[in-house]
Amino acid sequence: MSGYKNFAVVGAGSTGSFIIRQLLKEKATGIVDNVVVLTREGSKTTVDGDAKLIPVDYSNKESIKNALVGVDVVISTLASTVLHLQVGLAEAAKEAGAKLFVPSEFGARTEGATEGFLGFKANIQNQLRAVGLPYTLFYTGGFADYLWTPAFGLDVTSGKVSIGGKGDRQNPYTSRVDIARYVSYILTRLPAEQLNNRSFTMVGDRKSFNEIFKEYEAKTGKKLEVTYIPVSELDARLATNPRDIYAFLHKFWSSGPDPKKENDNHLYPDWNPSPLIDHLPVA
Ligand SMILES: NC(=O)c1ccc[n+]([C@@H]2O[C@H](COP(=O)([O-])OP(=O)(O)OC[C@H]3O[C@@H](n4cnc5c(N)ncnc54)[C@H](OP(=O)(O)O)[C@@H]3O)[C@@H](O)[C@H]2O)c1
């Protein structure tokens, strides 16, 4: 049995736009039949290409159901601040006849997590399981093409970076282009029964910050000044402000649950994801 052909992507934001673009490439080659994009009423979202943009009221089940007529797979790429909307979305998708729901994960493994942001995503998963529509989770590690900003202390172009702990923990990363290719391939090529209620872990590259900065220095000939922030300092920041995303991420990268080395890359034999170093900006 072949994979799915009719898709809805919810939220064409920083992750969703890449997935929409890839699904439209698949549509151009006949692998995908139809792509619709759900957006908030009043949003300024636009989509390029052959996808229909449908404004919906997420508080109105009929509005969502109408948008999902004929859709097999609903891929949520909603922002992390509105993940609770996915429960109503999945209920409406089930009633509209969709076969599969892909919640907005696209990060570290969350199944079994009980605390913090990962615990929040795991809690949403439990609510989605109760809806009874089959689901598929995609774990990607950090976005390889998204991290190198002053907001995370990782603006390599400034010559100065800050990292939590000792910088020697290897973490997984995947770029959004490669995430979109992997998600699209798995959902369109694997038979439905291999997708239901399971997770797929993709790993584009796996590096420690010390390793990647060394590669950057070798590639550019520029020396980086690296400041190491003790985990105790990150803990103190989080105690003062639990929403401190900088402290959360650096603590997670340095001393969060150790990401498993196992992955499901082999399910897409021609994937060939780009290495992390290709995504570090060169000033
Ligand atoms: N692994 C990583 O490094 C990493 C990095 C970033 C994000 N992520 C994960 O990727 C997923 C998507 O994040 P993102 O950064 O791509 O999201 P985003 O671009 O911030 O937002 C996605 C879309 O959510 C919709 N949205 C925002 N606020 C809303 C509201 N109040 N009500 C209804 N819809 C709303 C918007 O769509 P419309 O305007 O069209 O309605 C928006 O374009 C999340 O699960 C996040 O945790 C992972």
Side-chain angles (χ1 to χ4, degrees):
M1 186 184 152
S2 62
Y4 288 116
K5 287 187 160 296
N6 295 292
F7 292 85
V9 178
V10 184
S14 90
T15 310
S17 54
F18 285 82
I19 294 177
I20 293 162
R21 221 169 290 141
Q22 183 62 29
L23 288 171
L24 290 177
K25 278 190 191 168
E26 302 277 27
K27 186 176 178 191
T29 62
I31 302 275
V32 163
D33 283 347
N34 202 28
V35 181
V36 298
V37 177
L38 273 56
T39 183
R40 282 169 289 180
E41 284 170 348
S43 166
K44 294 199 168 52
T45 289
T46 54
V47 283
D48 298 332
D50 195 10
K52 186 175 174 197
L53 190 61
I54 309 181
V56 295
D57 173 0
Y58 290 112
S59 65
N60 179 336
K61 195 184 263 186
E62 289 308 311
S63 161
I64 306 172
K65 277 170 68 175
N66 289 339
L68 295 179
V69 171
V71 166
D72 301 319
V73 182
V74 177
I75 305 173
S76 167
T77 61
L78 282 173
S80 45
T81 47
V82 289
L83 296 179
H84 60 282
L85 295 178
Q86 297 180 117
V87 181
L89 198 56
E91 284 169 355
K94 188 180 176 194
E95 288 182 26
K99 311 285 188 308
L100 189 72
F101 190 83
V102 177
S104 185
E105 285 283 337
F106 311 113
R109 172 167 285 275
T110 52
E111 285 153 294
T114 53
E115 289 179 0
F117 181 55
L118 304 186
F120 177 65
K121 279 189 167 176
N123 181 37
I124 299 277
Q125 283 165 20
N126 291 335
Q127 296 178 57
L128 291 172
R129 281 184 195 101
V131 172
L133 179 62
Y135 63 88
T136 304
L137 310 170
F138 288 100
Y139 296 129
T140 64
F143 289 177
D145 56 326
Y146 194 75
L147 300 174
W148 315 106
T149 75
F152 300 148
L154 294 171
D155 176 15
V156 286
T157 60
S158 72
K160 291 183 183 179
V161 286
S162 305
I163 46 180
K166 296 185 173 132
D168 53 3
R169 212 316 256 280
Q170 288 189 325
N171 287 301
Y173 302 93
T174 313
S175 75
R176 287 171 294 174
V177 165
D178 289 327
I179 291 170
R181 290 174 54 234
Y182 187 92
V183 167
S184 169
Y185 181 92
I186 293 292
L187 294 176
T188 54
R189 269 61 165 205
L190 264 58
E193 55 274 18
Q194 287 181 29
L195 301 172
N196 291 347
N197 306 330
R198 70 157 289 187
S199 63
F200 294 86
T201 299
M202 67 191 90
V203 178
D205 198 356
R206 195 182 162 85
K207 288 267 157 29
S208 70
F209 282 116
N210 288 339
E211 287 170 329
I212 192 65
F213 292 150
K214 215 178 262 180
E215 276 189 42
Y216 177 83
E217 288 176 345
K219 180 178 173 181
T220 62
K222 290 183 190 160
K223 182 94 188 117
L224 288 172
E225 189 182 318
V226 184
T227 303
Y228 294 92
I229 308 165
V231 173
S232 57
E233 202 176 300
L234 299 173
D235 282 336
R237 280 178 67 157
L238 285 167
T240 311
N241 175 15
R243 290 167 184 265
D244 184 331
I245 187 71
Y246 177 102
F248 169 80
L249 282 174
H250 281 284
K251 175 155 185 204
F252 184 77
W253 286 323
S254 61
S255 51
D258 199 6
K260 287 187 192 146
K261 286 212 172 87
E262 296 78 31
N263 59 57
D264 301 301
N265 290 5
H266 61 281
L267 295 173
Y268 183 178
D270 295 331
W271 187 37
N272 292 330
S274 52
L276 189 53
I277 186 68
D278 286 3
H279 299 283
L280 270 70
V282 180

